[in-house]
Amino acid sequence: MPAQPYIVTLKPKRLLLNPKFEGYKLKLFDDRNRLQHFPLPPPGITISRFSSSKLSYKEIRNRIHYNHLFLGYEIIDRKKIFFYFDKELYISMVEYDQTSNFIITYRLINIPQFLGDQMHTEARDASPSNLEYPSLKALSSTLLLITNGSGTIFIVKILSDESNGYYGEIIHQTDINVCSEGESEDNDRFNRVPFVILDGKIVGEGDNAHILFSIYYTVPKQENSNIDNLPKNDSRETLFDISLLKMSLDHPYNIQILHTLRGNEIPLYYNINIHGDGYVIGSNEEYDIIKRSSAQEFEVDELDEQDNVAESTQDVGVKEAKSNNDDKMAPYIWTQTSTDLTICFQLPPGTPKTAVHCNFTKTHLSLTINIDSSTSNTNLLPQSPIPCYAFTPLFDLIDPSSSLWTIEPKIGLLTLHLEKHHHKTRWSHVFQQDDGVFETIDPNEFAEFRERLEKYTAELNDSTGNTVGHQGILDALRHPIGHEMEESVDFEEHAATIMWIDLNGKIGAKTSAGGHEFISRQFESFDEQKLTDDVSPMPSICLKLDVDGLVYTISHPSKPLESNASPLIMDHTATFNAFAFVQASKREKNFVFHDPNNRFVMILEGKHHAYVYWHSEDRVKHNEQFVVDFSEKIGKDTNIIGVQMISSKEAMIMVLASDSVIIIKLM
């Protein structure tokens, strides 16, 4: 695996985009035959109230969107199991039989919120806002991994008998030490930080089988104030740690923290690979590694030392010019407004305007550069390919009379300004044949591009004894390119970063920046993952691009990686037309999930409504939309607090309310 993370470029497929899409048409939902309501047995569910004055905005947002319905397993064909925690913190098991259309609920076992000496610690007397909601992960049909929301983890075995049906037995419980280095392990406050399970799986075979799971928790304020441990962000912000742990499957159930990440966001996506060699994490922010197990720290320190020695032998200018990802530089960068395109090419400094031959037609671009090797010195410059486009078809029509080009010879910056013939039409790429160069959304990237050219030009001129002057240079890129973006594109959210991280905490791959914001993740499914000899798949995600929602599959190579292979594979497989625009209008959305087969995407908003948007493989102008109203089934004062998929094949959804379960049959 390369020393630097492999950069994964998200590549939208033009054939999956539908620029002619106009909108969704409402279709009446037959709630009489396709919506069923099942009251929960006493005592029902009560969600603890929390004080907004004691929680950060990020913590409040996470609690509002917390999913209180947990996916279980399939007992036999068409009989599915789900879990929730009731008012008295009992694990309740919901058995739904698709054939008989009947629900049975079993109270398995009470999970104590405080144990032993915790009854006398500050945690016991703290406000409920300092606790987390209990969480659960079904490891198998008989084994559950559970947290109680106050710092203790349990392994519960599911048993059954003829008289009582199903019941649970706690076979192990322990507090997880999540304190940082330098903190005493006898300090109760840090030993019992409330945490939530992100994911968990039984991995390995035979004697090597073990539990691999991950948790997140809010960094205690005392530790947050330690500036040395902070990533590159404001120390006053709320920080979150994400720890990967390994637990044995039998007594004494030893636990080892493999590594811990830290950042200022709770992950939006987290999935441990089925083979147990790493995981994929997605968030609006990147994470820093702050802790590894002792054996891993030794190995990493040794590796870092070798890297430092290697770096010291390299010339600084050459080192910056030859990073792993600079070997394949994009031939240009580009952006667009509703009326025009701006394309920037990097040429060798000193390239005269007479070397540029550029012509526009309505449908084609012709561009060649006649470079004399004696006119420029590129020793210090990480050079992009010299552009050469011989009558190349463009993505859409332009107005040649209103299009022009400019060049800044001193820094080698060639800029094309193309006037769109069809205003308000967004281009997926510049040329008719997609060359894999994505639009640069952030204007700051253009400024950085220019600064890099000026930096290397300055170094070049200084090395030849000449002074560098910028008087008279065209200021084409200091104008805020892209400021006329349509209102449907907003940048209030950050672009999502998806990363592959191995067991040692090494980031093996991550997505490049490019304006893709996180919208939703796939419903978890009872269907077994379709493993192949080449890759192991994970749940897909939906990312925003312009007004659309683009679904990307996520997978990891199953075979040992070659030195230049990426451990993270992402492929654009479907597009929910205009969904990024639609979901932005839902101000009270609690949950957003899409179908594993990409047939629909669902928004649960507020207390009473589910919005379902259907997807078609054809490039149609309209798709269907359902609005499901729960108000007559659950009452106006009842909250929707969870959702899971019952059947992917039949598009059946289970919705959890505080006093009932609702079954939605979408097909």
Side-chain angles (χ1 to χ4, degrees):
M1 187 176 289
Q4 297 295 324
Y6 192 102
I7 302 300
V8 178
T9 303
L10 299 178
K11 298 180 179 180
K13 296 179 181 178
R14 182 185 176 191
L15 293 177
L16 298 179
L17 301 176
N18 183 8
K20 297 182 179 180
F21 184 76
E22 296 181 359
Y24 290 92
K25 289 188 174 181
L26 182 63
K27 183 177 180 180
L28 292 179
F29 182 76
D30 184 6
D31 55 0
R32 178 173 298 181
N33 297 315
R34 299 166 69 177
L35 194 65
Q36 293 179 290
H37 175 257
F38 299 91
L40 293 178
I45 305 171
T46 299
I47 304 302
S48 301
R49 294 175 178 264
F50 52 85
S51 171
S52 59
S53 63
K54 295 185 178 181
L55 295 175
S56 68
Y57 167 75
K58 295 172 185 176
E59 291 173 294
I60 294 173
R61 180 182 61 186
N62 182 65
R63 294 188 181 210
I64 291 173
H65 300 302
Y66 190 85
N67 196 345
H68 294 268
L69 183 62
F70 304 96
L71 191 73
Y73 48 89
E74 188 170 16
I75 302 178
I76 57 176
D77 186 35
R78 298 178 62 79
K79 187 173 287 189
K80 312 295 177 61
I81 297 297
F82 302 87
F83 300 94
Y84 68 88
F85 292 90
D86 69 18
K87 180 180 180 180
E88 298 174 355
L89 210 57
Y90 271 79
I91 305 172
S92 292
M93 173 175 145
V94 179
E95 177 185 293
Y96 176 65
D97 190 331
Q98 287 181 248
T99 303
S100 64
N101 193 33
F102 194 72
I103 278 182
I104 303 176
T105 303
Y106 303 91
R107 298 185 84 195
L108 298 183
I109 193 170
N110 175 253
I111 299 298
Q113 191 163 36
F114 300 99
L115 301 175
D117 60 346
Q118 282 184 285
M119 295 295 293
H120 306 289
T121 64
E122 293 181 19
R124 177 63 185 90
D125 299 323
S127 165
S129 63
N130 295 330
L131 305 177
E132 294 285 358
Y133 291 134
S135 54
L136 179 153
K137 183 67 180 180
L139 301 174
S140 70
S141 61
T142 59
L143 212 58
L144 305 179
L145 187 69
I146 294 170
T147 65
N148 64 353
S150 61
T152 305
I153 196 158
F154 303 80
I155 297 179
V156 172
K157 188 173 183 178
I158 300 176
L159 305 168
S160 64
D161 59 40
E162 294 182 358
S163 58
N164 299 317
Y166 292 100
Y167 63 97
E169 176 185 343
I170 297 175
I171 60 175
H172 182 70
Q173 61 190 48
T174 185
D175 296 319
I176 294 181
N177 180 6
V178 294
C179 66
S180 298
E181 290 182 274
E183 294 292 345
S184 169
E185 296 191 4
D186 295 329
N187 187 334
D188 285 334
R189 179 180 301 165
F190 287 95
N191 284 354
R192 297 184 178 92
V193 172
F195 55 84
V196 176
I197 298 173
L198 282 169
D199 193 19
K201 287 182 174 69
I202 296 177
V203 299
E205 297 179 354
D207 294 338
N208 294 323
H210 58 275
I211 302 170
L212 193 64
F213 68 103
S214 182
I215 60 175
Y216 77 80
Y217 49 92
T218 304
V219 177
K221 298 300 182 183
Q222 296 90 338
E223 187 180 338
N224 194 346
S225 62
N226 185 349
I227 303 298
D228 295 336
N229 283 339
L230 296 180
K232 298 175 182 178
N233 50 40
D234 191 336
S235 63
R236 294 169 296 179
E237 290 192 57
T238 300
L239 299 177
F240 302 95
D241 282 0
I242 299 96
S243 293
L244 182 68
L245 302 95
K246 177 180 179 181
M247 177 188 287
S248 58
L249 268 173
D250 49 25
H251 188 76
Y253 297 98
N254 294 322
I255 293 181
Q256 177 187 11
I257 299 179
L258 299 181
H259 64 258
T260 299
L261 309 176
R262 178 166 292 177
N264 54 17
E265 289 284 349
I266 295 170
L268 298 168
Y269 179 98
Y270 194 102
N271 192 267
I272 295 173
N273 182 38
I274 195 170
H275 297 297
D277 54 347
Y279 59 91
V280 174
I281 184 172
S283 175
N284 290 331
E285 302 286 346
E286 294 189 31
Y287 295 94
D288 296 328
I289 181 75
I290 64 164
K291 185 177 181 181
R292 293 181 173 92
S293 65
S294 57
Q296 292 164 1
E297 286 176 342
F298 174 79
E299 294 172 0
V300 171
D301 291 341
E302 194 172 80
L303 177 62
D304 290 342
E305 184 176 350
Q306 293 173 357
D307 289 344
N308 291 335
V309 172
E311 289 180 358
S312 65
T313 63
Q314 300 180 18
D315 177 77
V316 174
V318 174
K319 182 179 68 175
E320 292 183 355
K322 294 184 177 181
S323 68
N324 289 347
N325 300 309
D326 284 343
D327 292 338
K328 296 182 179 179
M329 296 183 65
Y332 57 88
I333 63 173
W334 70 285
T335 190
Q336 63 183 309
T337 68
S338 60
T339 59
D340 56 54
L341 263 76
T342 301
I343 311 170
C344 296
F345 295 89
Q346 175 186 316
L347 303 180
T351 300
K353 65 179 181 180
T354 55
V356 179
H357 299 275
C358 183
N359 292 294
F360 308 106
T361 71
K362 286 186 177 182
T363 56
H364 289 72
L365 167 69
S366 296
L367 174 64
T368 57
I369 311 296
N370 294 331
I371 299 282
D372 184 348
S373 61
S374 63
T375 63
S376 63
N377 183 342
T378 61
N379 290 335
L380 291 174
L381 189 63
Q383 185 59 49
S384 295
I386 301 299
C388 181
Y389 298 92
F391 203 63
T392 306
L394 295 166
F395 178 84
D396 200 1
L397 300 179
I398 64 170
D399 291 333
S401 61
S402 302
S403 301
L404 55 89
W405 61 271
T406 61
I407 187 170
E408 301 177 44
K410 286 185 178 292
I411 61 175
L413 179 60
L414 173 65
T415 305
L416 309 188
H417 303 274
L418 308 183
E419 181 76 13
K420 294 179 179 179
H421 181 73
H422 300 116
H423 288 186
K424 297 185 179 180
T425 296
R426 295 201 64 79
W427 291 28
S428 301
H429 32 81
V430 173
F431 298 103
Q432 188 178 89
Q433 183 174 354
D434 189 1
D435 56 1
V437 180
F438 295 100
E439 180 184 2
T440 300
I441 301 293
D442 188 354
N444 293 330
E445 292 187 33
F446 275 78
E448 292 170 3
F449 180 82
R450 181 188 180 89
E451 289 171 3
R452 184 180 63 183
L453 295 183
E454 292 177 342
K455 170 188 174 184
Y456 283 112
T457 304
E459 292 175 353
L460 175 60
N461 288 332
D462 288 344
S463 67
T464 58
N466 299 324
T467 60
V468 180
H470 297 291
Q471 283 289 37
I473 294 180
L474 295 173
D475 206 9
L477 287 180
R478 290 186 182 168
H479 184 73
I481 293 176
H483 73 289
E484 295 179 350
M485 287 283 184
E486 296 147 62
E487 290 183 0
S488 59
V489 182
D490 63 84
F491 303 103
E492 294 180 0
E493 297 291 337
H494 299 285
T497 299
I498 314 299
M499 297 184 291
W500 166 267
I501 301 179
D502 66 17
L503 300 185
N504 296 323
K506 180 74 173 181
I507 301 175
K510 64 179 181 179
T511 54
S512 59
H516 285 59
E517 299 168 15
F518 186 91
I519 298 179
S520 71
R521 64 167 290 164
Q522 170 195 314
F523 271 114
E524 292 185 83
S525 174
F526 290 101
D527 298 334
E528 293 186 2
Q529 293 179 322
K530 297 179 180 179
L531 302 177
T532 69
D533 293 336
D534 299 322
V535 297
S536 55
M538 302 181 186
S540 62
I541 58 174
C542 183
L543 302 178
K544 172 183 175 181
L545 180 64
D546 196 8
V547 298
D548 295 330
L550 275 57
V551 178
Y552 285 88
T553 57
I554 299 176
S555 57
H556 171 67
S558 301
K559 295 180 179 179
L561 295 176
E562 300 176 0
S563 58
N564 62 343
S566 171
L568 176 64
I569 302 171
M570 298 186 64
D571 185 39
H572 176 206
T573 56
T575 300
F576 291 112
N577 297 314
F579 183 67
F581 175 81
V582 170
Q583 64 87 30
S585 67
K586 308 299 181 187
R587 299 302 180 184
E588 297 183 12
K589 54 181 177 285
N590 293 336
F591 306 104
V592 185
F593 289 100
H594 61 269
D595 172 44
N597 298 318
N598 303 324
R599 295 165 298 179
F600 63 88
V601 60
M602 172 181 281
I603 299 175
L604 284 166
E605 185 186 38
K607 296 182 177 181
H608 306 126
H609 295 98
Y611 298 88
V612 182
Y613 302 90
W614 290 90
H615 165 254
S616 173
E617 297 291 345
D618 301 323
R619 291 191 173 187
V620 296
K621 290 186 177 181
H622 301 93
N623 282 132
E624 292 181 349
Q625 170 193 355
F626 289 160
V627 179
V628 184
D629 189 347
F630 306 131
S631 58
E632 293 186 3
K633 299 289 184 180
I634 63 175
K636 295 182 179 180
D637 297 326
T638 304
N639 294 315
I640 299 298
I641 56 176
V643 60
Q644 293 290 349
M645 174 167 273
I646 297 172
S647 170
S648 173
K649 181 179 179 180
E650 300 172 60
M652 295 180 63
I653 308 297
M654 177 179 288
V655 175
L656 179 68
S658 52
D659 61 358
S660 57
V661 165
I662 301 165
I663 307 298
I664 307 174
K665 299 178 181 179
L666 294 176
M667 296 178 62

